Amino acid sequence: LKASFFRPVGAMADSEELALALQVNHWKQVADDLTRLIKKANAPIFGIDTQGNVSEWNEKTEFITGYSRVEAIGQNLVDTFIQPENRTSVSEVFTKALSGVETTNFELPLLSKNGKRYTVLLNAT
C-alpha cells in the first residue's frame, strides 16, 4: 500500500522536472536563435556595458570597421572608435540610452581600423 501511495508522487515530480527541462530547452533555443540573428545580421550591431566598453560586435560591424570581435570587445567604444571631435555628442547619446532615454537615427561616425570614417544610423536604447 505504501509503495503505490508514493509512486504517483514520484511520477508527478518526474513530469514536473520534464516540463521544466522542456521550458529551459525552449528558452535556450530562443537565446541561441537571437544570438545567431545578431551575429549574422546585415546591419552593424554592437553593444556597450555601463562603462561604455564594447560588449557585443557583430560580423557586419567587423566588416565595416576592420576590427574583429576579439579586438573590439572590452575596448571603450567612444575612445577607440569615435573621432575626438565627435566624442562628446556620442557620449551624450550613450549616457541617455543607459539611463533609459532612447535616441533614434543618430548619425554615428565610426572610425575604421585604416582610419576611414563611416557614418551609420544609430538607434540607441
Side-chain angles (χ1 to χ4, degrees):
L1 188 60
K2 283 185 179 180
S4 64
F5 175 75
F6 287 111
R7 197 172 321 207
V9 172
M12 183 182 293
D14 289 344
S15 67
E16 288 174 1
E17 289 173 9
L18 177 60
L20 180 60
L22 289 172
Q23 284 182 336
V24 167
N25 188 49
H26 167 76
W27 291 114
K28 182 184 179 318
Q29 184 63 45
V30 169
D32 290 346
D33 290 347
L34 291 172
T35 298
R36 205 169 17 265
L37 175 69
I38 290 169
K39 181 179 179 182
K40 298 291 185 181
N42 194 27
I45 298 175
F46 57 86
I48 60 169
D49 61 20
T50 57
Q51 309 305 305
N53 298 322
V54 175
S55 59
E56 183 57 57
W57 197 259
N58 77 344
E59 290 177 0
K60 189 56 127 182
T61 310
E62 287 181 321
F63 177 77
I64 290 170
T65 65
Y67 289 99
S68 71
R69 176 179 168 80
V70 170
E71 291 172 302
I73 296 292
Q75 297 296 318
N76 184 280
L77 188 126
V78 173
D79 292 344
T80 307
F81 305 105
I82 306 297
Q83 291 174 308
E85 61 269 20
N86 300 112
R87 289 180 182 160
T88 300
S89 62
V90 172
S91 290
E92 289 171 2
V93 169
F94 291 152
T95 299
K96 287 179 184 178
L98 291 170
S99 66
V101 178
E102 183 176 350
T103 299
T104 58
N105 297 325
F106 177 79
E107 293 185 5
L108 180 73
L110 277 178
L111 275 178
S112 69
K113 197 173 193 175
N114 66 10
K116 187 173 180 181
R117 178 184 168 186
Y118 291 91
T119 301
V120 296
L121 285 182
L122 174 73
N123 292 309
T125 57

